[in-house]
Amino acid sequence: MARSNGRRTPRQDRARATVDAVIEAAARILIDDGYDRLTTNRAAERAGVSIGTLYQYFGNKEAIVEALVQRIADERISAFGDTLRALAEQDLPLHEAVEVLLDGTLAAMRVRPELSRRLLLEAPRGGRLDLEHAWVARCIELVRAVMYRRRDRFREGDVELMASVAVTGAFAVLQDAAAHRPELLEGDVLRDELTLLASRYLSPE
Amino acid sequence: MARSNGRRTPRQDRARATVDAVIEAAARILIDDGYDRLTTNRAAERAGVSIGTLYQYFGNKEAIVEALVQRIADERISAFGDTLRALAEQDLPLHEAVEVLLDGTLAAMRVRPELSRRLLLEAPRGGRLDLEHAWVARCIELVRAVMYRRRDRFREGDVELMASVAVTGAFAVLQDAAAHRPELLEGDVLRDELTLLASRYLSPE
DNA sequence: TCCAGATATGAGCGTTTGCTCGGGTCCGGC
DNA sequence: GCCGGACCCGAGCAAACGCTCATATCTGGA
C-alpha cells in the first residue's frame, strides 16, 4: 500500500491506524461537507491526528482521495465476488452473461453508496480519483475477452469499439442512477433495461 | 442575461464588453491552466479588468463558469440547428430518427471541443456548471415526446425510463469520446454504433 | 453643456490553505 | 535497559484567495 509520492510507508500498527484514520476522516468529510471542503488540515483534525503526521503519509489532498478511492474499489471487488472469473470461464448465452455482469456490478455499486455518490459528483473525472474509471476499464477488458473467444455469438464489427460502447453506455446509466435516483439501484428494473440495451446492441441479426 | 446573484446587469456597451472579456478570459484559463487554477483574481487579470469590476458582475467563480457554460450551450443549440424541431414534426422511422438526432448532437459537440473537454473533466457535475446536463434533459424530453406520439414504433415498457436510459447511455459514450478520444467524433463510426445501440434498445420485437 | 448614474480602479484586509521543521515520544530488537 | 529508527506533534510562515470600498472616470440624455 505504497503512497503515491515519496512519502513514508507505515510499518508499525499504530502508523497503519493513523493512515486508516485519515482515510476514513476524509470519507466522513466528503459525505458531510463535500469535496472542496476537504483539506489536509481538516482531515488531520477530524482524524485526531497532527497535520505533520498526515504529511508523513500523504503529500496532498489528492493522495488521500486516491487512497480512499482505492479502498472503495477494493471493497467493491469483494462485493463483486467471483462474478468476473465465473463469467470468463463459463460460456453463458449473451443475454444471461450480460445479466450476470450487471448483477455483479449492481452489488458492487451498493458499497458505500453515499460516499460513492459524492465522489462521483464532485471529484475530478478521468484520473486516479475517478472511482468508476478502473472499474469500467476492467469490465471492457472482460467483455472484449469474451467477445474474442465466442465471436459467433456477437454481431460483427470492431470488437474493441463495441465492448467499449456497451460497457460505457450501461455504466453511465448506472452512475446516473446512483447519483440522482439511488432507489433505482434496488430493484431489478434497471438491471433488466440495461441487459436489453447491451445484449441487443451486441447480438447478431 | 441576468447574473445569478444580485450583481449588476450591464447596460452600456463597454460593460457588456467587460463581461464578455471576463467570460472569455475564464475560457482561456480553463483551457490553459485547468479548472482549479481558475480564480476570480486571475480571470480579472487575464481579462485586463480590475478585480473590483469583475465583482460588479460576478459574485464568484461559479457565476463566471455558469455564464460560460450558458454561452457554450447557446452556441451548441445554434450548431444543432433545427434538428430538434424537424425531428419533433416529421415521422421518421426509428433508426433514421436516432441517426438524425445523433448527427445533430455530434455537430453540437464539435463546438469549442477543448473547452468542453476541460469542463467535462474538471467542472463539478450535476449542477448548473454541468455542460451536458441541460442538453441531455432536452434530448430525453424530445425522445419521450416522440415515443408517446408513436407508441407503435417502440417496444412496450416504461416510456420515461426507456427514453432516459437510451439518451443517457448514448450521451455518455459521446462524452467519453470527447474527453478521451476526440478523433472519434469526426467520422461516422460512433454515430453508427450509437444509432444501433439506441434503436435496437427501443425497437419492438 | 452638464450631471446623474453607470462603470472602472486597485490597494489591501481578513481568511484559508498548504506545508515545514524542530522537537519530542514510542516501539522493538539486542 | 538501551538505542536507533519509526512515529507523532503543532506553532506558525508564505502564498493564495475572496472580496470590499473609497475614489476616479466615462456616457448618454436633457
Side-chain angles (χ1 to χ4, degrees):
Chain A
M1 194 176 282
R3 307 287 120 243
S4 49
N5 327 25
R7 302 283 159 166
R8 182 189 294 261
T9 298
R11 307 197 174 284
Q12 301 175 6
D13 276 351
R14 58 175 174 155
R16 274 184 285 272
T18 297
V19 168
D20 184 77
V22 170
I23 294 178
E24 291 303 326
R28 280 202 306 276
I29 293 173
L30 271 176
I31 293 176
D32 295 344
D33 307 324
Y35 185 81
D36 41 358
R37 280 230 144 89
L38 170 62
T39 66
T40 48
N41 283 313
R42 237 189 291 269
E45 189 187 10
R46 277 246 205 165
V49 155
S50 152
I51 179 64
T53 301
L54 185 148
Y55 270 96
Q56 287 194 321
Y57 303 105
F58 303 96
N60 51 44
K61 161 178 167 173
E62 275 70 37
I64 305 177
V65 178
E66 191 181 329
L68 177 59
V69 166
Q70 191 56 53
R71 170 169 296 194
I72 301 176
D74 289 344
E75 291 174 8
R76 288 191 164 195
I77 287 169
S78 298
F80 204 105
D82 319 79
T83 307
L84 282 181
R85 213 179 341 277
L87 262 181
E89 284 167 5
Q90 291 181 32
D91 257 338
L92 290 172
L94 177 54
H95 192 275
E96 277 75 6
V98 170
E99 208 165 52
V100 169
L101 186 56
L102 279 166
D103 265 336
T105 301
L106 275 163
M109 293 187 76
R110 290 195 198 100
V111 170
R112 304 226 203 185
E114 182 58 21
L115 187 53
S116 303
R117 191 170 155 276
R118 253 24 225 282
L119 282 170
L120 217 59
L121 241 41
E122 303 179 352
R125 272 158 286 192
R128 274 182 297 207
L129 307 190
D130 188 335
L131 180 56
E132 305 308 320
H133 222 62
W135 195 257
V136 170
R138 199 180 291 239
C139 284
I140 291 178
E141 188 52 50
L142 175 74
V143 172
R144 185 159 48 189
V146 174
M147 286 179 74
Y148 274 126
R149 197 147 40 83
R150 297 297 307 260
R151 294 219 180 177
D152 55 307
R153 295 200 171 162
F154 298 90
R155 169 165 66 81
E156 289 187 8
D158 181 338
V159 171
E160 317 279 328
L161 186 61
M162 283 165 66
S164 161
V165 166
V167 174
T168 304
F171 259 81
V173 176
L174 287 176
Q175 286 183 26
D176 190 69
H180 302 295
R181 307 173 65 188
E183 75 280 3
L184 265 184
L185 296 185
E186 294 312 320
D188 285 341
V189 196
L190 210 50
R191 197 265 316 255
D192 294 341
E193 289 298 316
L194 293 178
T195 301
L196 222 50
L197 180 74
S199 62
R200 281 190 166 190
Y201 169 66
L202 293 175
S203 84
E205 166 263 356
Chain B
M1 194 175 282
R3 308 284 122 246
S4 50
N5 326 22
R7 302 284 158 166
R8 183 188 293 263
T9 297
R11 307 195 174 285
Q12 302 175 5
D13 278 350
R14 58 174 175 156
R16 274 183 285 271
T18 297
V19 168
D20 184 77
V22 170
I23 295 178
E24 291 303 325
R28 279 202 306 278
I29 294 172
L30 270 176
I31 293 175
D32 296 343
D33 308 322
Y35 185 80
D36 41 359
R37 281 227 142 91
L38 170 62
T39 66
T40 49
N41 283 313
R42 236 189 291 270
E45 190 187 11
R46 277 246 204 165
V49 155
S50 151
I51 179 63
T53 301
L54 185 148
Y55 270 96
Q56 286 195 321
Y57 304 105
F58 302 97
N60 50 45
K61 160 178 167 173
E62 275 71 36
I64 305 177
V65 178
E66 191 182 329
L68 177 58
V69 166
Q70 190 57 53
R71 170 169 297 195
I72 301 177
D74 288 345
E75 290 174 9
R76 289 192 162 193
I77 288 168
S78 299
F80 203 105
D82 319 79
T83 308
L84 282 181
R85 214 180 338 280
L87 262 181
E89 283 167 5
Q90 292 181 31
D91 256 336
L92 290 172
L94 177 53
H95 192 275
E96 277 76 6
V98 171
E99 209 166 51
V100 168
L101 186 56
L102 279 167
D103 266 335
T105 301
L106 275 163
M109 293 187 77
R110 290 195 198 99
V111 170
R112 305 225 201 188
E114 183 57 23
L115 187 53
S116 303
R117 189 170 157 278
R118 255 22 219 305
L119 282 170
L120 217 59
L121 241 40
E122 303 178 352
R125 272 158 285 194
R128 273 181 299 205
L129 307 190
D130 188 336
L131 180 56
E132 305 310 319
H133 222 64
W135 195 258
V136 170
R138 200 181 290 239
C139 284
I140 291 178
E141 188 53 49
L142 175 75
V143 171
R144 185 160 48 188
V146 174
M147 286 179 75
Y148 274 126
R149 198 146 41 81
R150 298 296 308 259
R151 295 217 179 179
D152 55 308
R153 296 199 170 161
F154 298 90
R155 168 165 64 81
E156 289 187 7
D158 183 336
V159 171
E160 316 280 327
L161 185 61
M162 284 165 66
S164 160
V165 165
V167 174
T168 305
F171 259 82
V173 176
L174 286 176
Q175 286 183 26
D176 190 70
H180 302 296
R181 308 172 64 189
E183 75 280 4
L184 266 184
L185 296 185
E186 294 312 320
D188 285 342
V189 196
L190 210 51
R191 197 265 316 255
D192 295 340
E193 289 299 315
L194 293 177
T195 301
L196 223 49
L197 181 74
S199 63
R200 281 191 167 189
Y201 169 66
L202 293 174
S203 84
E205 167 262 354

